[in-house]
Amino acid sequence: MSERTFDQVSWFRNSSPYINAHRGRTFVVMLAGELLAGPALPTLIHDLALLNTLGIKLVLVHGARPQISERLAAAGIESTFEQHSRITDAAALDSVMAAVGALRLKLEGLFSMGLANSPMHNASIQLISGNFVIAKPVGVRNGFDYQHTGEVRRIEVDPIRRQLEAGNVVLLSPLGCSPTGELFNLNAEEVASSAAIALRADKLIIMGPQVRINDSDGQQLRELSPQQAGRMLADDQLQAPGLERQLTAACHAASNGVARAHLLDTGDDGALLRELFTRDGCGTMVTRENYETLRGARIEDVGGILELIEPLEADGTLVRRSRELLENEIQRFVIIERDGMVIACAALYPFPDDKVGELACVAVHSGYRKGERGAQLLGYVERRAREQGLQKLFVLTTLTAHWFQQQGFEAAGVETLPGARQSLYNWQRNSKVFVKPL
Ligand SMILES: CC(C)(COP(=O)(O)OP(=O)(O)OC[C@H]1O[C@@H](n2cnc3c(N)ncnc32)[C@H](O)[C@@H]1OP(=O)(O)O)[C@@H](O)C(=O)NCCC(=O)NCCS
């Protein structure tokens, strides 16, 4: 096998977990107007068609800024901008409609390509557009009448879902209708983030040339929390107004239930596939998800740990620990921190002579359970224990036996505990002992 063929085979194998993870998910993908004017568009449409074939539910949102500007210039209409929004009067609205209409048709054409030697051969994909975006006027602000410039009022979720269920790709334009029958020129980024939030999409992906978030040293940032993104926006760290709109949309979506919002520079051929099917990706992701760190506890975490375990001590799930004891034993604790709050903890007490360790004080905040944080903590403690040369972990529990069994622990007798621990065993509490080999 040639090296190239081998690379292809291993690439395909490595991408299979992502193929499975993405199947049946809903992605809202925004294509900036600049991208629709560039030569990369047909290849990108092939990649989108491939996602559809792999069972991903796709909602596309297209931008139209450069195309609208071009038409306005040709019609001799000069645009006024307020807060980066175009004021759309009746004459300008005609140019907006013409530009958006032409782009919709262009995209329909590209999705219909099925030539025998093209990647879309045999891929019959229906691109559906309609009055899915309901708009309202921006109105008069700071004395400026925005006229036909509007904002998203709501997204027609059910009709869109029906199309997605039928395997169709839905196309939304930056143009919305109001219940009074008027048309409004909308910001495509706002349409995209509103659609992603309303549809509870798994991802919002914003694509375009130079959609790239760098730090102050010019290095691309790979992951941001909505808070970090918010700080960048507030500090005016982004030079291009387009990027500001795009990051605002990503931040808004990530703060309102969309697990991941990606910003992708389409200067890179295949950026979309790399972002979705390789571990490292190539864009910037705004997400709340990974804004959690699993780490060894420090003295300043004592207050947070106490807050987390107090209710569990009060109901008898955990044995009481004083602040003083926690301060003395803080290096035994591991925690999960989320946005500065301790949301989970566990402790490891080693008995080096017996080569065993006690897992204790396992707690996950009630608002964050069933997210495998308990299992993650355990994995981390197990690693620590192995590093310390321990061969077994044991735990004493009164109420959580089944959970520990699911994590690979087996019931054992009190006599199996290290001697030093046996003498401290509280017969009144009558905890069950469980052991897990490492
Ligand atoms: C036990 C605990 C740490 C699990 O944390 P978590 O992050 O929710 O754990 P995971 O997501 O890995 O596992 C969740 C699963 O464990 C189950 N589970 C949680 N507590 C359980 C218990 N006491 N008995 C049996 N199963 C339990 C959940 O129902 C869930 O099952 P599902 O996935 O089938 O719905 C958490 O429930 C907790 O803090 N409980 C109170 C404190 C406690 O009991 N600590 C142990 C003291 S020794």
Side-chain angles (χ1 to χ4, degrees), residues 308 312 315-319 336 343-345 359-366 368-378 395-407 429 431-432:
L308 170 70
L312 294 162
D315 72 9
T317 311
L318 295 178
V319 182
I336 298 181
I343 59 158
C345 72
L359 170 68
C361 203
V362 182
V364 175
H365 187 286
S366 55
Y368 296 95
R369 291 197 185 142
K370 296 197 175 197
E372 295 188 358
R373 292 181 180 86
Q376 283 169 25
L377 276 176
L378 178 61
V395 66
L396 273 67
T397 183
T398 50
L399 298 169
T400 321
H402 283 187
W403 186 79
F404 287 110
Q405 280 173 308
Q406 277 162 20
Q407 306 298 324
R429 193 166 158 82
S431 305
K432 294 200 171 93

Side-chain angles (χ1 to χ4, degrees), residues 158-181:
D158 290 343
I160 295 179
R161 286 232 173 92
R162 279 197 291 276
Q163 294 301 332
L164 296 176
E165 289 305 327
N168 298 329
V169 176
V170 171
L171 177 65
L172 305 180
S173 297
L175 200 58
C177 336
S178 71
T180 55

Side-chain angles (χ1 to χ4, degrees), residues 312-331:
L312 294 162
E313 291 175 348
D315 72 9
T317 311
L318 295 178
V319 182
R320 279 203 186 275
R321 284 173 174 79
S322 66
R323 175 178 282 270
E324 200 183 16
L325 185 102
L326 271 178
E327 281 172 359
N328 284 334
E329 297 182 344
I330 194 67
Q331 78 285 358

Side-chain angles (χ1 to χ4, degrees), residues 74-339:
I77 301 172
E78 219 169 283
S79 287
T80 330
F81 285 86
E82 262 309 306
Q83 304 287 327
H84 303 308
S85 282
R86 197 191 301 269
I87 307 249
T88 318
D89 61 17
L93 185 65
D94 286 341
S95 300
V96 173
M97 284 161 61
V100 167
L103 286 171
R104 273 195 187 183
L105 292 171
K106 178 175 179 173
L107 287 165
E108 280 180 19
L110 286 168
F111 267 94
S112 306
M113 280 193 320
L115 293 180
N117 57 357
S118 86
M120 283 176 62
H121 181 46
N122 276 344
S124 164
I125 297 172
Q126 308 307 314
L127 186 68
I128 309 291
S129 44
N131 53 344
F132 297 131
V133 181
I134 309 301
K136 61 182 180 192
V138 169
V140 180
R141 286 194 193 166
N142 298 326
F144 288 101
D145 184 354
Y146 282 69
Q147 302 181 55
H148 288 280
T149 301
E151 287 173 345
V152 176
R153 179 167 173 176
R154 76 167 190 274
I155 302 286
E156 295 284 26
V157 171
D158 290 343
I160 295 179
R161 286 232 173 92
R162 279 197 291 276
Q163 294 301 332
L164 296 176
E165 289 305 327
N168 298 329
V169 176
V170 171
L171 177 65
L172 305 180
S173 297
L175 200 58
C177 336
S178 71
T180 55
E182 282 169 282
L183 284 177
F184 288 94
N185 181 16
L186 303 174
N187 172 339
E189 286 82 3
E190 192 203 344
V191 173
S193 62
S194 305
I197 294 166
L199 290 161
R200 297 201 200 96
D202 299 281
K203 284 184 191 296
L204 166 66
I205 303 170
I206 298 178
M207 304 184 71
Q210 277 140 33
V211 178
R212 197 183 164 88
I213 310 287
N214 292 341
D215 63 14
S216 49
D217 297 331
Q219 292 296 313
Q220 188 188 20
L221 288 168
R222 304 311 303 271
E223 197 173 317
L224 286 171
S225 69
Q227 290 80 354
Q228 287 168 317
R231 274 197 294 277
M232 285 190 93
L233 288 162
D235 296 350
D236 228 355
Q237 287 179 33
L238 302 159
Q239 300 309 320
L243 210 47
E244 198 180 299
R245 278 198 311 275
Q246 288 151 353
L247 187 60
T248 304
C251 190
H252 183 55
S255 309
N256 286 281
V258 178
R260 288 158 181 229
H262 304 249
L263 294 157
L264 267 190
D265 182 355
T266 46
D268 255 1
D269 181 28
L272 182 61
L273 299 186
R274 277 177 55 205
E275 182 72 359
L276 293 175
F277 298 102
T278 64
R279 199 182 51 178
D280 295 331
C282 59
T284 300
M285 184 162 74
V286 183
T287 175
R288 292 169 80 106
E289 263 181 8
N290 295 343
Y291 203 49
E292 287 184 10
T293 34
L294 175 54
R295 59 170 173 82
R298 299 189 284 258
I299 194 76
E300 57 272 24
D301 299 317
V302 168
I305 297 176
L306 275 172
E307 244 170 73
L308 170 70
I309 62 177
E310 261 163 10
L312 294 162
E313 291 175 348
D315 72 9
T317 311
L318 295 178
V319 182
R320 279 203 186 275
R321 284 173 174 79
S322 66
R323 175 178 282 270
E324 200 183 16
L325 185 102
L326 271 178
E327 281 172 359
N328 284 334
E329 297 182 344
I330 194 67
Q331 78 285 358
R332 308 239 181 268
F333 278 74
V334 298
I335 60 156
I336 298 181
E337 182 194 352
R338 182 188 172 96
D339 288 350

